[in-house]
Amino acid sequence: MQITVDHVIRFIERAAALIRDHAAELTELDTVIGDADHGANLNRGFSAVVVKLDTFQESDIGAILDMTGKTLLATVGGAAGPLYGTAFRRAGALLAGRSVIDGRDIAAALEVALEGIVERGRVQRGEKTMLDAIAPGVETFRDAIMNGSSLEEAARCALAAVEEGMRATIPMQATKGRAAFLGPRSIGHQDPGATSAYYIARAMVGLDDDPPTGTPEMQNL
């Protein structure tokens, strides 16, 4: 399976819909250990991205990802905007001018996106952040592709790794961001950034037989 501009647009629309549908849950998680605005912030940012997609129908994949990153940087407050914005922009720069990509291209884009998050956030694994969900997902996707898995199989394996990483933040003590101020009281709560990363990763699964955005079938992925 190859990924085209239409697939990328569909991925962003699905990510926006999942963030919108789970905005209250994300904000509730952030209320406990953060600024209580993660879901609302991301929903505002992805909604702004979707509005711009219509003018990018004839663009290449890199331009669409770059626009997504720039829009998230401009509209999402807190740490999430710079981190997700940098990730999308790094991936966009790597895929500039490309209209069709394959699994190896996606693995490379995910790796530079991950590097962007690490550099921008100055984070490492185990600090109870989105990185704890994203990093194992990227590694799993890359390994699956390199071992000959189909893009769909790699995406599903990566999603499982992201979900496991997300759950693994629950017993962690935060040492980064506002949650770090809670010290041991941050233990026992799932990180909101890791949770939004899970929903964005979920948007990558099933693109080949994708139902229209926001339908009940999409919720069953």
Side-chain angles (χ1 to χ4, degrees):
M1 175 185 176
Q2 289 189 312
I3 293 297
T4 66
V5 169
D6 287 343
H7 286 111
V8 173
I9 289 175
R10 195 180 305 157
F11 156 64
I12 294 172
E13 289 176 339
R14 286 158 57 95
L18 284 165
I19 292 296
R20 178 197 65 212
D21 293 346
H22 294 274
E25 172 197 347
L26 294 171
T27 292
E28 183 177 349
L29 290 170
D30 199 34
T31 299
V32 180
I33 60 173
D35 294 325
D37 58 4
H38 189 60
N41 268 338
L42 275 186
N43 186 33
R44 179 175 61 250
F46 273 99
S47 295
V49 171
V50 169
V51 168
K52 295 180 180 179
L53 279 179
D54 283 344
T55 61
F56 278 78
Q57 299 287 336
E58 304 301 324
S59 297
D60 62 78
I61 291 170
I64 293 170
L65 294 176
D66 185 62
M67 176 276 291
T68 300
K70 286 180 177 176
T71 305
L72 293 178
L73 277 166
T75 57
V76 178
L83 293 176
Y84 279 128
T86 298
F88 275 99
R89 292 207 68 195
R90 292 284 183 94
L94 184 74
L95 300 175
R98 302 286 300 276
S99 297
V100 179
I101 57 177
D102 60 17
R104 289 177 180 265
D105 296 319
I106 295 174
L110 289 173
E111 289 197 315
V112 297
L114 178 64
E115 291 170 2
I117 290 173
V118 170
E119 292 174 12
R120 186 66 183 257
R122 298 179 180 176
V123 292
Q124 58 186 357
R125 291 168 74 167
E127 293 183 314
K128 197 181 183 83
T129 70
M130 64 172 65
L131 184 68
D132 293 307
I134 296 172
V138 171
E139 292 168 359
T140 298
F141 184 88
R142 177 199 60 207
D143 292 347
I145 289 295
M146 295 306 175
N147 288 325
S149 295
S150 69
L151 199 155
E152 181 63 20
E153 290 170 342
R156 290 192 180 278
C157 290
L159 179 62
V162 171
E163 182 173 13
E164 184 177 352
M166 174 186 72
R167 305 292 183 203
T169 64
I170 296 174
M172 291 180 183
Q173 178 174 327
T175 58
K176 200 77 177 180
R178 181 173 291 274
F181 290 106
L182 296 176
R185 287 183 292 144
S186 65
I187 296 173
H189 303 287
Q190 185 168 296
D191 181 69
T195 309
S196 61
Y198 166 72
Y199 288 124
I200 293 171
R202 211 167 99 176
M204 293 182 64
V205 176
L207 285 175
D208 197 28
D209 54 357
D210 186 39
T213 301
T215 65
E217 289 83 353
M218 194 181 75
Q219 307 306 318
N220 295 327
L221 284 173

